[in-house]
């Protein structure tokens, strides 16, 4: 009994101590013991409203793409191939925007160029089907993402449409002329901008719905018709080239002869008129000479020579004759 009493007293004391400890915890503000270690991370997506990492991606239908490209095909008959391409475009509910055909001649190969519009979701299948026409030598496709542009146009159109509806309601409830005129002016401006944006969105929708492809069909032989590929063919080609040049020269000379005759007649008329004009021109008297006339020669004074032979020399037959009576 004594041991049992001691045990009971010990248990009561332990319970008392536990009760005091719980009271101290409550009096201290109910703080919970801290646990060492890394704190639990909070997903930033729930805090900032961002989509969860495993959230599904937007549907492909919301992506707007404009597909353009070109296809080069080598075939034996480009003209017939162009007709086949036209049938395939109509089979996929597409359309032909332009078609140019150049039949082959002795100096050039046949060629055809088509600009076609096919549904965007059938573009790859349509290009694959072109293998039956000939040999596809080159394929080029380009996809431009215009999703943001399309969404911007759509938002602006919806905002303008709401503004137009409000202005019409204001016009219906206008009580004076000034308010009615102001509402009409605002409505006219909004309606014009709305129509412009609607046309842009319609054009963009058409580009998104239908791909634009340029298909070029050429002949299998890339060599120009008549081009020589050996020595004898080169000689023959040179001879024909010479004949063609002579033919062209004769034709040119024939075309130039009338012009040469016409120019010769005009030149003769001008020359005759010029000569007649020169003959009719009056002759003018020669101008007086300004050269000074030479002065008359005066006889030089007689000079006496001191030479002793001069006296005998001065007496000559002439002197004797003059002294004779």
């Amino acid at each position: 009994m004594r041991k049992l009493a001691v045990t009971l007293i010990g248990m009561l004391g332990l319970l008392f101590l536990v009760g005091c400890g719980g009271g101290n915890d409550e009096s201290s503000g109910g703080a919970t013991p801290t646990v060492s270690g890394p704190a639990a991370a909070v997903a930033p997506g729930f805090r900032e409203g961002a989509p969860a990492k495993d959230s599904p991606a937007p549907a492909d239908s919301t992506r707007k793409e404009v597909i353009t490209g070109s296809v080069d095909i080598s075939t034996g008959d480009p003209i017939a191939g162009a007709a086949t391409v036209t049938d395939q475009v109509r089979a996929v509910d597409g359309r032909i925007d332009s078609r140019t055909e150049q039949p082959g001649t002795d100096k050039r190969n046949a060629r055809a160029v088509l600009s076609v519009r096919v549904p965007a979701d059938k573009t790859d299948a349509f290009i694959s089907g072109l293998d039956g026409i000939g040999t596809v030598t080159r394929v080029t496709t380009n996809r431009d993402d215009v999703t943001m542009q399309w969404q911007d146009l759509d938002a602006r159109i919806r905002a303008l449409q709401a503004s137009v509806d409000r202005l019409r309601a204001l016009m219906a409830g206008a009580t004076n002329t000034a308010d009615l005129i102001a509402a009409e002016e605002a409505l006219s401006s909004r309606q014009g901008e709305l129509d412009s944006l609607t046309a842009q969105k319609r054009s963009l929708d058409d580009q998104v719905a239908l791909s634009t492809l340029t298909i070029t069909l050429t002949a299998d032989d890339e060599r120009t018709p008549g081009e020589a590929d050996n020595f004898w063919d080169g000689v023959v080609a040179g001879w024909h080239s010479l004949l063609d040049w002579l033919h062209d020269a004769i034709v040119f000379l024939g075309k130039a002869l009338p012009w040469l005759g016409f120019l010769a007649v005009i030149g003769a008329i001008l020359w005759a008129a010029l000569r007649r004009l020169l003959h009719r021109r009056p002759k003018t008297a020669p101008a007086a000479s300004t050269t000074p006339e030479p002065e008359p020669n005066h006889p030089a004074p007689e000079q006496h020579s001191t030479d002793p032979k001069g006296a005998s020399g001065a007496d000559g037959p002439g002197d004797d004759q003059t002294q004779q009576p």
Side-chain angles (χ1 to χ4, degrees):
M1 292 294 294
R2 188 175 181 178
K3 292 181 178 181
L4 181 60
V6 173
T7 303
L8 291 175
I9 293 171
M11 292 179 65
L12 290 175
L14 181 61
L15 291 174
F16 178 78
L17 292 176
V18 171
C20 292
N24 293 334
D25 292 339
E26 293 177 357
S27 63
S28 62
T32 57
T34 59
V35 180
S36 60
V42 180
F46 294 99
R47 184 188 309 163
E48 300 176 359
K53 182 179 295 186
D54 297 333
S55 60
D60 293 338
S61 59
T62 60
R63 181 180 175 85
K64 306 295 181 181
E65 292 181 339
V66 175
I67 303 176
T68 57
S70 62
V71 182
D72 294 344
I73 303 176
S74 178
T75 179
D77 190 352
I79 306 302
T84 305
V85 171
T86 302
D87 295 337
Q88 292 186 3
V89 171
R90 292 173 179 173
V92 296
D93 298 331
R95 70 172 188 260
I96 305 292
D97 283 352
S98 66
R99 179 175 176 177
T100 304
E101 295 181 357
Q102 176 182 295
T105 62
D106 295 338
K107 297 183 179 180
R108 67 184 181 187
N109 293 324
R111 177 184 174 88
V113 181
L114 298 92
S115 178
V116 304
R117 304 291 303 279
V118 296
D121 55 347
K122 300 178 181 179
T123 302
D124 296 335
F126 174 79
I127 293 176
S128 300
L130 296 176
D131 292 335
I133 300 175
T135 303
V136 178
T137 58
R138 186 173 67 91
V139 177
T140 302
T141 57
N142 184 32
R143 296 175 180 267
D144 294 330
D145 188 0
V146 294
T147 306
M148 296 299 296
Q149 182 181 355
W150 188 92
Q151 292 177 352
D152 179 66
L153 286 174
D154 185 67
R156 293 171 64 183
I157 288 173
R158 285 188 282 105
L160 282 174
Q161 186 62 55
S163 177
V164 167
D165 295 339
R166 287 195 299 269
L167 287 173
R168 288 176 177 173
L170 291 175
M171 289 176 61
T175 57
N176 53 55
T177 306
D179 294 341
L180 181 60
I181 293 175
E184 287 180 349
E185 292 178 354
L187 178 61
S188 176
S189 176
R190 296 286 198 284
Q191 188 65 46
E193 187 176 357
L194 177 61
D195 293 341
S196 176
L197 292 178
T198 303
Q200 295 180 27
K201 186 173 181 291
R202 189 182 303 112
S203 175
L204 187 61
D205 287 337
D206 180 72
Q207 296 178 20
V208 171
L210 297 176
S211 303
T212 303
L213 298 176
T214 301
I215 303 175
T216 304
L217 298 98
T218 56
D220 290 331
D221 189 7
E222 298 181 356
R223 186 169 52 88
T224 303
E227 184 178 351
D229 56 357
N230 55 54
F231 177 77
W232 177 249
D233 290 342
V235 172
V236 174
W239 173 253
H240 288 298
S241 177
L242 176 60
L243 293 179
D244 292 340
W245 182 85
L246 291 175
H247 177 269
D248 295 339
I250 293 173
V251 172
F252 175 78
L253 182 60
K255 292 181 179 180
L257 280 177
W259 287 97
L260 293 176
F262 174 75
L263 294 177
V265 172
I266 296 298
I269 294 174
L270 292 177
W271 174 251
L274 182 60
R275 290 189 60 184
R276 189 172 183 180
L277 181 63
L278 293 176
H279 284 299
R280 286 185 176 183
R281 186 175 180 181
K283 297 181 178 180
T284 57
S289 178
T290 58
T291 305
E293 296 181 358
E295 297 180 358
N297 295 327
H298 297 282
E302 185 178 355
Q303 297 181 357
H304 299 279
S305 176
T306 58
D307 190 0
K309 296 181 180 181
S312 61
D315 297 336
D319 295 336
D320 297 339
Q321 293 177 1
T322 54
Q323 292 180 0
Q324 291 178 2

